[in-house]
Amino acid sequence: MLMSAITAFYRVTTKTFINEEDVSAFGSSTQAKGKPSTAHHPNIERVRRAHLNDIENVFAFVLIGILYLLTNPSVDTATLHFKVFAGARFGHTIAYLIPIPQPSRFLLCATGWVATASMAFTILSTVM
Ligand SMILES: N[C@@H](CCC(=O)N[C@@H](CS)C(=O)NCC(=O)O)C(=O)O
């Protein structure tokens, strides 16, 4: 939800909109053939990429996390997985938005991925 809010904040403050009706309503920072036009802004595209990457990873985490809970893990182990994933994803977002030089973003992304993969492995080990 915060990513949507950050995107909207950048759009309004830079007057960068991707829909004609938004340009008509709120104005535009660019002019094409004498009239305001839709546009893209590098900061906004960065937030959108970070958001997309969140969706890509959080969807799998929630799905696998629910199945993982059905395997009856210890509370401590489950909590550790959830905390590592959440921490890594918050870190990934910060690293992406600032941006912090690589491989920080890669390592944070990989940490979240490993947490989800570890839960998936537990599920598969339980059912096989
Ligand atoms: N869909 C991702 C898959 C790989 C991935 O998640 N890479 C991480 C660590 S480098 C990332 O932050 N990718 C940038 C992005 O998805 O915008 C991509 O196209 O990069």
Side-chain angles (χ1 to χ4, degrees):
M1 287 177 71
L2 185 61
M3 303 309 284
S4 296
I6 295 173
T7 306
F9 172 79
Y10 273 123
R11 285 208 183 288
V12 171
T13 55
T14 62
K15 285 188 180 293
T16 306
F17 299 104
I18 47 175
N19 300 298
E20 306 287 350
E21 65 273 25
D22 300 342
V23 172
S24 302
F26 308 115
S28 168
S29 60
T30 59
Q31 296 276 329
K33 292 181 188 151
K35 63 174 187 151
S37 64
T38 57
H40 295 279
H41 189 287
N43 288 352
I44 298 174
E45 294 312 306
R46 179 171 286 278
V47 179
R48 282 160 62 84
R49 288 197 300 277
H51 195 172
L52 194 63
N53 193 274
D54 278 338
I55 294 167
E56 193 176 306
N57 287 275
V58 172
F59 179 76
F61 168 78
V62 170
L63 199 67
I64 291 170
I66 290 169
L67 295 175
Y68 172 69
L69 289 178
L70 297 176
T71 68
N72 242 346
S74 78
V75 172
D76 285 348
T77 312
T79 306
L80 180 67
H81 279 89
F82 294 173
K83 282 185 174 172
V84 167
F85 181 84
R89 290 313 307 179
F90 276 114
H92 178 271
T93 301
I94 292 165
Y96 213 154
L97 296 191
I98 287 181
I100 299 172
Q102 286 278 39
S104 62
R105 176 162 49 83
F106 165 75
L107 292 174
L108 288 158
C109 189
T111 303
W113 189 91
V114 167
T116 304
S118 167
M119 294 192 298
F121 180 77
T122 304
I123 296 164
L124 291 175
S125 308
T126 306
V127 296
M128 291 171 105

